[in-house]
Amino acid sequence: MNIRFEHLLGQLERGAIDRRTFIVRAIALGVTGSAVASALSRVGRASAQDESAASIGNPEIPHVEGTEKGVIKIYSSWPSTGSMEGIGVDALEAARLAFADFGNMAGGFAIEYVPLDSGIAANNGGWDPGVESANANQAIADPDAMVYMGTYNSGAAKISIPIMNEAGMAMISFANTYTGLTKEFPGNEAGEPEQYYPTGERNYSRVIAADDIQGALGAQWAVETKGVESAYILDDQSLYGHGVAQVFNDTLLEMGVEVLGFEGYDPRAPDYQALMTKIADAGPDLVYVGATVENNPSKVLLDMRSLMPADEVVFLGPDGLFTQAFIDGAGEAAEGAFLTFAGLPPGELAGPGADFNARMTEILGHTPDAYSTYSYDSAVAVIQAIDQVGEKDRAKILDALMATKDFTSLVGKTWSFTETGDIDNPSMSVNEIVPNDEGELTITFVEAIGS
Amino acid sequence: MEFNGTLFAQYLILGVTNGALIALIALGYTLVYGIVELINFAHGEVFMMGAFLSLSAVSAFGLVSGAGWAQIALVSLVAMLAAMLFSGALNWSIDRVVYRRLRSAPRLAPLIAAIGISFILQGIGIYWKGSTTILPPNLIPTDIRSVNILTDWLGLETRIRFRALDLAVILLTVPLLIALSWLVYRTRTGKAMRAVAQDRGAAALMGIDVNRTIATAFLVGGILAGAAGFIVAYYTNTARFQMGFRYGLFAFTAAVLGGIGNLNGAVLGGLIIGLVWSMSDGFLQTYIPWWGAQWTPLIIFGVLVLVMVFKPTGLLGEAVPEKV
């Protein structure tokens, strides 16, 4: 019966039957009043969708409907199980929602979204190089595939960008923040970023600010707002964690702040008390931990707080810790920890962003993860690139996507891609983990920083 | 660099405490290896399952906040016993269902089976408690966790932190180590174990039930792992389905370091690894400025390689030199 009801609902949404006929038939189907009410609320949402979809992206690019030209597949690859479930599933649903908002059509093609998972259980759901490489190769081998969305982890992007580059396929990320993927930067490894682009042409873009901005603004905030005079810096030895920590370190040194130590921690070690004893003895004002959530940062914080209480030593972390799983692992020790995020949390958004937040909350049953807004943005950019080209041609779609300009994002900023594929008008915020009205610890927006 | 005695003492305390826990797990490896010459790679996961069960046991009690020492001690004891029974039974069943069937198979077969079981148990762990780092249910309140024996009880003026928690780990671990020694060297069952370890065929001819003796070794190893699971979960105040992997690897290294098959060697190896760990994480930087915690796994496994190359029998040699 549910199927028949869905069918009826579909008729209503398409306008094949009017609302009254719908209600009569629905009652005839034996649907209870509450189901009708929920259906009506979904109809109400359909109009809100249009409003949201219309205002995101570049409004001057007309949306081309119809599916007569065939099918274009959009692949995505990021981890969405285990410790990455909270971030990954939300991002995936956000991309799905974006495609649905455009009717799953673009440039006269039907859009088929193919989300792939790059995580493995043995890595706590985190990404695996073998899986990422297999995903990328699967995408380029599919003649219908035009764009590769992803990755979440910068280390994974290192693997798939060159694969996409040689295949001439566009790649767009909602979450990679490692600077060396696109830009020349003092903290880069040798050969970056050119080594990722063997053909010499750029094919990779990202809708989120890179770590040179996140690390630098985070360091400035720590010094200017928190009055930090000395710091100890740790990282999880991942490409992302070390990269953002390096920028943080360099910025502090430039500002004349004493860095008492800068080292990696073993993400699989079960105990960090000896390490924290050493750090407490050094006596920093702030401990910075460049890490992602699957690399045990909760335990690092737990052991830090047993020796250095929140009112004495500031904890600051980058957006890799910007997720509920980080709080769940640390419990009450998480209170008072500060996190920078290359963007704004969904709860702080107005207009289309607030509408997105409400719709995602309904789909997921919880507030969407902060990255999901960027996943939505990236999917809209893909749709608009295909709308402009109107052909199933990887090279042309690549050019159109890389040339994205005057794009209004869900967070309300309007940006264009630079030559390196970075956004020219980034947003950044500082957030604190504090108890909400129910007394549960949550990530709470403190202030926007930077431009 | 000036020698800082306070800090050194602090690293010693942390090293010995963590080392005692590693020793407890290492005994399980070494006990089983001594008798069936099988490196039971699933042992770390048996330890993890014990930790998980103890968390569930504590949740089942639903300890109210503000509980006194007596209540905490009682619940701890029950949770630890539950974890010991569970892990013991689990290890015993693994032997009964898998390893016993492979007793006469080539050595590689049970080894691969052990790796397979360790993956299965990790999968069960994820299903049971999820895959993220979890905080154990509240058992020991923060103010009790942080009681420092030296300053709070003895009234000493020192920056050394020796918590009641550290003492509790030692107080729980040492009796278990002694009990194991007693079992192996002072009882008929222990005698049977040693006999089977020396010569399985001859032991069988003497009327020893070989399968039962081996099963007992698995049971005892599992019981120790269960105890370690509970202690580690509440000592580190964290649990994760992967916790058995790193502790298991350290414990295995400890067992090899001390001389696999040798009980005293496992304890010695555990303590050495605990100390190397805390010194590398903390103390070494005083003298080597570029040293950092990222080198700790390297130095621990480096020690293992050195011992394997220069003294393959381990520090204390094998307890059963007849075995080649």
Side-chain angles (χ1 to χ4, degrees):
Chain A
M1 193 200 73
N2 264 337
I3 299 163
R4 288 174 65 192
F5 179 68
E6 291 291 338
H7 175 71
L8 196 59
L9 191 62
Q11 284 184 323
L12 175 67
E13 284 180 359
R14 283 198 308 275
I17 52 174
D18 65 24
R19 209 169 265 207
R20 175 181 256 173
T21 319
F22 166 75
I23 292 171
V24 171
R25 289 194 189 165
I27 292 170
L29 262 173
V31 174
T32 61
S34 65
V36 175
S38 85
L40 286 176
S41 77
R42 283 174 61 184
V43 174
R45 210 181 71 214
S47 55
Q49 269 172 21
D50 296 335
E51 183 196 324
S52 162
S55 51
I56 297 304
N58 185 339
E60 286 172 13
I61 301 172
H63 180 48
V64 184
E65 298 198 335
T67 58
E68 66 284 354
K69 292 185 185 171
V71 174
I72 282 180
K73 288 188 193 163
I74 309 295
Y75 279 76
S76 75
S77 173
W78 55 74
S80 55
T81 56
S83 61
M84 282 300 301
E85 188 182 334
I87 295 168
V89 170
D90 292 12
L92 196 152
E93 288 300 333
R96 215 191 282 284
L97 180 66
F99 292 128
D101 281 351
F102 284 87
N104 292 310
M105 295 179 272
F109 291 89
I111 298 295
E112 190 181 319
Y113 177 43
V114 188
L116 303 174
D117 190 329
S118 63
I120 54 168
N123 193 19
N124 207 359
W127 74 282
D128 176 76
V131 180
E132 176 59 33
S133 154
N135 287 353
N137 282 307
Q138 183 186 339
I140 62 171
D142 185 340
D144 291 333
M146 292 295 122
V147 180
Y148 189 70
M149 291 172 62
T151 58
Y152 170 74
N153 304 81
S154 297
K158 263 182 141 176
I159 293 171
S160 39
I161 293 173
I163 297 176
M164 292 301 143
N165 187 262
E166 292 194 323
M169 199 195 287
M171 173 164 168
I172 183 167
S173 169
F174 68 103
N176 297 152
T177 56
Y178 177 66
T179 314
L181 293 176
T182 56
K183 292 189 238 185
E184 301 272 358
F185 191 70
N188 282 3
E189 290 171 22
E192 286 178 340
E194 290 77 16
Q195 68 185 71
Y196 305 122
Y197 305 96
T199 65
E201 298 290 320
R202 290 301 184 106
N203 65 314
Y204 168 84
S205 55
R206 48 180 157 191
V207 298
I208 195 158
D211 292 334
D212 54 342
I213 297 163
Q214 175 168 208
L217 290 181
Q220 281 166 17
W221 174 84
V223 175
E224 285 159 13
T225 309
K226 286 283 157 186
V228 167
E229 289 172 1
S230 62
Y232 208 104
I233 303 171
L234 293 173
D235 69 64
D236 63 358
Q237 303 182 58
S238 72
L239 182 71
Y240 159 81
H242 183 70
V244 69
Q246 182 77 53
V247 179
F248 190 83
N249 174 62
D250 296 347
T251 314
L252 284 187
L253 291 176
E254 272 171 31
M255 298 181 84
V257 174
E258 190 183 5
V259 176
L260 299 165
F262 178 18
E263 67 188 87
Y265 70 87
D266 172 11
R268 291 196 170 188
D271 191 54
Y272 302 105
Q273 290 185 86
L275 177 62
M276 287 305 165
T277 303
K278 176 174 76 181
I279 296 176
D281 183 62
D285 293 339
L286 172 142
V287 174
Y288 187 81
V289 178
T292 46
V293 72
E294 73 270 22
N295 284 335
N296 222 5
S298 306
K299 176 63 180 157
V300 173
L301 177 58
L302 209 56
D303 285 346
M304 174 193 160
R305 284 297 180 227
S306 81
L307 288 163
M308 293 169 263
D311 52 1
E312 289 173 18
V313 185
V314 177
F315 176 96
L316 182 63
D319 59 351
L321 311 183
F322 197 93
T323 173
Q324 189 64 32
F326 174 61
I327 302 176
D328 293 344
E332 58 190 27
E335 184 168 355
F338 289 94
L339 305 172
T340 54
F341 180 64
L344 301 171
E348 294 303 319
L349 304 179
D355 174 53
F356 167 82
N357 193 28
R359 287 158 61 204
M360 283 292 284
T361 305
E362 200 178 318
I363 293 170
L364 300 165
H366 58 82
T367 312
D369 182 81
Y371 280 107
S372 60
T373 57
Y374 297 90
S375 177
Y376 187 95
D377 284 346
S378 66
V380 172
V382 170
I383 291 276
Q384 293 205 317
I386 299 172
D387 271 340
Q388 278 176 291
V389 175
E391 286 176 57
K392 195 193 265 187
D393 184 324
R394 283 183 186 174
K396 287 182 181 168
I397 292 173
L398 190 162
D399 289 342
L401 186 58
M402 293 299 290
T404 300
K405 64 176 189 321
D406 302 330
F407 186 100
T408 303
S409 65
L410 273 176
V411 302
K413 288 231 176 186
T414 301
W415 48 256
S416 303
F417 280 139
T418 62
E419 281 177 3
T420 60
D422 285 289
I423 53 176
D424 63 357
N425 185 16
S427 46
M428 188 71 61
S429 62
V430 171
N431 305 272
E432 186 180 5
I433 297 173
V434 287
N436 62 9
D437 296 340
E438 283 94 51
E440 293 159 355
L441 289 172
T442 43
I443 300 174
T444 309
F445 175 74
V446 177
E447 58 182 313
I449 52 175
S451 59
Chain B
M1 277 293 164
E2 201 178 316
F3 178 77
N4 186 333
T6 308
L7 269 185
F8 187 74
Q10 186 67 66
Y11 295 131
L12 277 184
I13 291 170
L14 290 171
V16 167
T17 317
N18 268 317
L21 291 171
I22 294 172
L24 210 49
I25 308 168
L27 281 171
Y29 275 102
T30 230
L31 197 64
V32 165
Y33 183 86
I35 292 176
V36 283
E37 290 181 23
L38 162 71
I39 295 169
N40 182 11
F41 276 113
H43 193 73
E45 274 61 45
V46 170
F47 151 79
M48 176 268 291
M49 295 302 268
F52 278 16
L53 186 98
S54 69
L55 304 191
S56 294
V58 173
S59 307
F61 275 99
L63 208 65
V64 287
S65 55
W69 286 89
Q71 202 185 345
I72 293 169
L74 182 71
V75 175
S76 303
L77 200 67
V78 173
M80 184 162 128
L81 285 175
M84 288 165 80
L85 279 178
F86 177 71
S87 287
L90 182 64
N91 216 18
W92 180 86
S93 329
I94 294 171
D95 172 58
R96 183 69 191 79
V97 175
V98 185
Y99 301 146
R100 189 189 281 192
R101 292 166 203 275
L102 299 172
R103 208 79 90 203
S104 49
R107 265 199 192 184
L108 204 56
L111 196 70
I112 303 286
I115 294 171
I117 289 166
S118 105
F119 278 113
I120 292 172
L121 291 180
Q122 283 197 11
I124 296 174
I126 296 177
Y127 186 74
W128 190 359
K129 296 273 182 195
S131 74
T132 45
T133 307
I134 50 172
L135 209 60
N138 208 356
L139 171 64
I140 312 170
T142 317
D143 51 334
I144 294 185
R145 281 188 75 85
S146 54
V147 166
N148 184 342
I149 295 178
L150 302 180
T151 56
D152 296 344
W153 290 359
L154 303 178
L156 298 177
E157 284 285 326
T158 175
R159 283 186 55 227
I160 301 176
R161 196 168 68 138
F162 183 57
R163 293 167 301 173
L165 197 66
D166 300 309
L167 181 69
V169 170
I170 310 278
L171 285 184
L172 287 171
T173 312
V174 171
L176 285 168
L177 299 181
I178 294 173
L180 182 71
S181 261
W182 173 80
L183 176 82
V184 172
Y185 293 107
R186 295 274 181 278
T187 64
R188 281 177 67 88
T189 316
K191 204 177 219 174
M193 282 181 181
R194 284 179 288 140
V196 173
Q198 279 197 355
D199 189 325
R200 204 183 291 175
L205 288 175
M206 294 298 136
I208 295 173
D209 185 339
V210 171
N211 273 333
R212 214 179 120 196
T213 310
I214 293 173
T216 312
F218 274 94
L219 181 74
V220 172
I223 286 176
L224 293 179
F230 167 77
I231 300 172
V232 165
Y234 278 97
Y235 176 66
T236 63
N237 204 20
T238 182
R240 192 183 186 195
F241 80 97
Q242 278 178 326
M243 64 193 287
F245 178 78
R246 183 46 67 85
Y247 262 113
L249 214 54
F250 278 176
F252 170 65
T253 310
V256 174
L257 192 61
I260 192 145
N262 184 317
L263 296 184
N264 298 329
V267 176
L268 179 70
L271 290 177
I272 289 176
I273 287 191
L275 287 170
V276 169
W277 178 4
S278 76
M279 292 302 160
S280 169
D281 265 11
F283 197 62
L284 266 180
Q285 209 176 41
T286 319
Y287 298 98
I288 311 171
W290 51 266
W291 194 270
Q294 69 265 36
W295 303 110
T296 303
L298 181 132
I299 194 173
I300 288 177
F301 298 119
V303 167
L304 175 70
V305 170
L306 288 181
V307 170
M308 294 307 288
V309 170
F310 293 106
K311 200 167 186 311
T313 52
L315 295 175
L316 298 188
E318 278 190 272
V320 275
E322 301 84 39
K323 232 174 242 160
V324 190

